[in-house]
Amino acid sequence: MYCIGFDIGGTKCAVSLGKIEKGEIEILGREETPTLPSAEETLENLALAVKSFQLGREIAAAGISCGGPLDSVKGVIVSPPNLPHWHGFAIVDYIQKRFGLKAKLQNDANACAVAEWKFGAGKGTKNMVFMTFGTGLGAGLILDGKLYSGTNDNAGEAGHIRLAKRGPMGYGKEGSFEGFCSGGGIAQLAKIMALRAKKIPDSIVEMGGVSEITTKKLAQKAFAGDKFCKRVFAKSGELLGKGLSILIDLLNPEKIVLGGVFMRSSELLVLSMRKQIEKEALDVSAQVCEIVPAKLSENIGDIAALAIAASEIGV
């Protein structure tokens, strides 16, 4: 079975051709283009690739993965902050008319959750939570064997939960889950901790000062043994454990799949994360919940869009 996936982002958009067979997915072709103010012009730049994918193949469906807010039922991009000129664009209707493809739109975190559930680290589970842990912190929920997106596509916004009265800013809220557990949030946390110290740690001075802190630099130094940078990740891991405990108690999942920073730096986070879960979560629920890094890394955006296409036709 062949599907086409559209991965819509603020800086670039991509279209891919996927073959799904015996529970496995293979990407056969891919094309990308810069994201332009005009949605129609952007998609038109991918039209030749779409037509070439359709040539000689029966395409079962198209899936669209895009940041929210959006309306997945109506197939409309509502108001994503990184796509200001796309607000109100009926992308499903456009793709159906332009390419003759049955199409489905889904929030990118939800789409990634479906991808990890069908083809990645969550394969075979019935109740799973996927968390992005990248630029921001969003979650996709697979509950009772299906995607749960809520009343108006806003389920899974775990990053908005406030975990502390004070702390890094994320999701417009100080001390939020996203503030402590995202790429930008960890850099903010390091800045706060560095400025509170009696003197700026040598590792931060070596980076060029607090204004030059990045999570990537922090991870490199932490892996090299720097004590301050390891403390930053340990603190992030502590709050990660606190946030995950809430989800474990509320949803009783069998698996939580974490992408982004956790996928690359889990050993810097996991010890303090597990200590906090042991302290905060119901033991009977925590014991049946496995916490693992995401499996789909390099092609997650493409596979996420293709997974939405597959789910639309019941695969």
Side-chain angles (χ1 to χ4, degrees), residues 253-268:
E254 59 200 278
K255 191 169 283 190
I256 296 176
V257 179
L258 297 165
V261 176
F262 189 87
M263 191 169 55
R264 296 184 291 271
S265 308
S266 60
E267 63 189 88
L268 299 174

Side-chain angles (χ1 to χ4, degrees), residues 133 163 168 177-183 185-187 189-190 193 215 229-244 261-262 268-270 272-273 276:
F133 207 148
L163 297 179
F177 200 168
E178 180 172 286
F180 285 104
C181 301
S182 64
I186 291 174
L189 178 61
M193 292 173 65
T215 299
C229 294
K230 288 173 73 174
R231 284 201 305 273
V232 172
F233 276 91
K235 185 64 177 179
S236 176
E238 177 187 330
L239 275 295
L240 174 62
K242 186 174 182 178
L244 293 184
V261 176
F262 189 87
L268 299 174
L269 299 156
V270 72
S272 56
M273 175 196 80
Q276 195 69 12

Side-chain angles (χ1 to χ4, degrees), residues 33-187:
T33 187
T35 302
L36 303 173
S38 166
E40 291 91 342
E41 189 176 349
T42 304
L43 293 172
E44 193 58 36
N45 286 343
L46 297 172
L48 281 178
V50 176
K51 293 297 185 182
S52 70
F53 295 161
Q54 291 177 296
L55 193 62
R57 299 183 184 92
E58 184 177 345
I59 305 297
I64 309 154
S65 171
C66 180
L70 50 79
D71 188 327
S72 63
V73 175
K74 294 180 179 178
V76 175
I77 295 172
V78 178
S79 57
N82 62 346
L83 293 167
H85 300 286
W86 290 46
H87 294 184
F89 180 59
I91 191 168
V92 166
D93 186 58
Y94 179 90
I95 288 173
Q96 287 175 340
K97 290 178 179 177
R98 178 68 178 85
F99 304 114
L101 293 169
K102 180 180 181 180
K104 177 68 176 177
L105 171 67
Q106 191 53 261
N107 173 287
D108 53 0
N110 287 345
C112 287
V114 174
E116 286 288 346
W117 175 46
K118 288 184 175 290
F119 306 112
K123 192 172 182 179
T125 62
K126 189 176 180 180
N127 297 292
M128 185 204 87
V129 176
F130 169 79
M131 305 192 76
T132 55
F133 207 148
T135 304
L137 185 73
L141 309 176
I142 304 298
L143 303 178
D144 202 20
K146 59 186 177 182
L147 176 67
Y148 178 76
S149 56
T151 302
N152 63 345
D153 284 323
N154 285 306
E157 298 295 4
H160 197 245
I161 298 170
R162 194 189 300 275
L163 297 179
K165 290 182 179 180
R166 297 285 182 269
M169 181 75 71
Y171 220 122
K173 183 182 285 186
E174 186 179 5
S176 67
F177 200 168
E178 180 172 286
F180 285 104
C181 301
S182 64
I186 291 174

Side-chain angles (χ1 to χ4, degrees), residues 203-225:
S203 54
I204 302 303
V205 174
E206 290 167 7
M207 288 181 198
V210 293
S211 63
E212 300 299 316
I213 295 173
T214 67
T215 299
K216 183 177 180 180
K217 292 176 183 177
L218 290 165
Q220 288 171 342
K221 288 190 173 293
F223 277 120

